[in-house]
Amino acid sequence: MTDRYAVIGNPVGHSLSPRIHAHFATATGEDLTYRTLPADAFGVAAEGFFEAGGRGLNVTLPFKLDAFVWVAERGGGRGAARAAGAVNTIAVSREGAHGYNTDGVGLLRDLEHNLGVGISGRRVLVLGAGGAVQGVLGPLLDAGPHRLTVANRTVSKAERLAAAFAGVEASGLPDLDTDYDVIINGTSAGVAGGRPPIEAAGVQDAFCYDMFYTLEGETPFCRWCGECGAARTADGLGMLIEQAAESFFLWRGVRPPTRGLAQSLRA
Ligand code: ATR
């Protein structure tokens, strides 16, 4: 029987995940369907999906925290999800529901494998201190940066993350150092067409990565960094694809090919 998967969120109609997973299924010959699952309340919708035989869910905004609690109540909050405090992937087995967070793995695989940007020994700055950033700090630390700073408009949120993740430094945006090799925008400023307000001098000669992405042109952060003399810029479409590949692997035990998919989604 064809196995059923979905991405749950609100709104979720714009999600690229069905296209990405359809590509993975075709490439690997796995028999599955993957659709969007719009929901007002996470628990009710997830319960209904799994009771009807669904095998796995991806979880997007605004439900990653709800999913973490939901899975933990079923005894399955574990692995990367625990440090991330958020779940973006749920798999069910006979033992129950298991929660994972594949965002950090996706970011690292895009940076290190696809883009050739090593984190080990580098000075890394992450902008923003919301759920998206919290989800990737564990894997970033594991990659062995020389320095990892979280800078946020509301400095208390950066300080909270620094207290929770040993090895992370906190900063506000105005008092930021300018000596970083890799700068990662994890704020949601791009959603409203903006970018975090940092000094242009800071991005000069740095590799600048935007966890936000756009299919057409450049994100506001990437465009601005390029104008300020960044060595290179990239947006988060590759991260989206790689976190999806990791979910697919968790569900199916098969690693799907990702090469060339970003270009075909943009085309
Ligand atoms: P997400 O789950 O996408 O991380 P979030 O938890 O609401 O969303 O966090 C959004 C992050 O983007 C926060 O760090 C926020 O800064 P504040 O904590 O000061 O609100 C940051 N952010 C959003 N818009 C921003 C902007 N225009 N400039 C700078 N930071 C911004």
Side-chain angles (χ1 to χ4, degrees):
M1 205 181 79
T2 302
D3 292 331
R4 293 193 302 111
Y5 296 86
V7 53
I8 182 169
N10 186 356
V12 74
H14 64 284
S15 172
L16 289 177
S17 294
R19 284 170 68 189
I20 294 172
H21 283 277
H23 171 91
F24 291 164
T26 304
T28 57
E30 291 288 303
D31 185 16
L32 61 88
T33 64
Y34 187 110
R35 66 181 178 95
T36 55
L37 179 57
D40 292 324
F42 176 80
V44 177
E47 217 77 66
F49 177 77
F50 286 117
E51 271 166 19
R55 294 291 302 277
L57 281 176
N58 278 138
V59 184
T60 188
L61 295 177
F63 296 134
K64 291 184 185 185
L65 254 168
D66 294 327
F68 181 75
V69 173
W70 187 84
V71 166
E73 283 169 354
R74 282 154 186 77
R78 67 179 206 197
R82 193 149 36 211
V87 158
N88 81 334
T89 305
I90 300 174
V92 287
S93 68
R94 254 180 232 117
E95 294 83 52
H98 300 289
Y100 306 88
N101 192 312
T102 64
D103 288 331
V105 173
L107 172 65
L108 264 294
R109 200 162 290 148
D110 195 34
L111 284 172
E112 300 201 313
H113 189 261
N114 298 343
L115 298 163
V117 177
I119 294 299
S120 174
R122 312 295 287 280
R123 298 164 300 178
V124 179
L125 169 64
V126 179
L127 301 168
V133 166
Q134 181 168 342
V136 301
L137 287 181
L140 272 175
L141 280 167
D142 290 346
H146 172 66
R147 177 179 190 198
L148 181 57
T149 305
V150 170
N152 197 44
R153 184 172 61 182
T154 311
V155 70
S156 59
K157 287 197 210 165
E159 285 164 351
R160 191 179 55 78
L161 288 182
F165 289 85
V168 168
E169 299 168 25
S171 173
L173 292 181
D175 48 334
L176 203 51
D177 282 356
T178 52
D179 294 335
Y180 291 97
D181 306 306
V182 178
I183 301 178
I184 299 169
N185 177 31
T187 72
S188 56
V191 177
R195 60 165 181 87
I198 58 170
E199 292 289 330
V203 303
Q204 248 171 35
D205 300 324
F207 172 83
C208 297
Y209 188 92
D210 197 349
M211 283 166 56
F212 186 65
Y213 70 87
T214 174
L215 289 182
E216 279 166 31
E218 287 182 296
T219 67
F221 179 72
C222 285
R223 190 181 322 114
W224 178 77
C225 291
E227 287 164 4
C228 296
R232 221 170 129 204
T233 64
D235 78 12
L237 184 58
M239 172 180 171
L240 177 78
I241 292 167
E242 295 298 340
Q243 64 77 28
E246 185 68 14
S247 298
F248 191 93
F249 175 69
L250 288 168
W251 289 327
R252 311 298 298 184
V254 180
R255 206 164 274 292
T258 57
R259 186 183 286 264
L261 182 52
Q263 287 93 314
S264 68
L265 288 170
R266 288 191 208 273

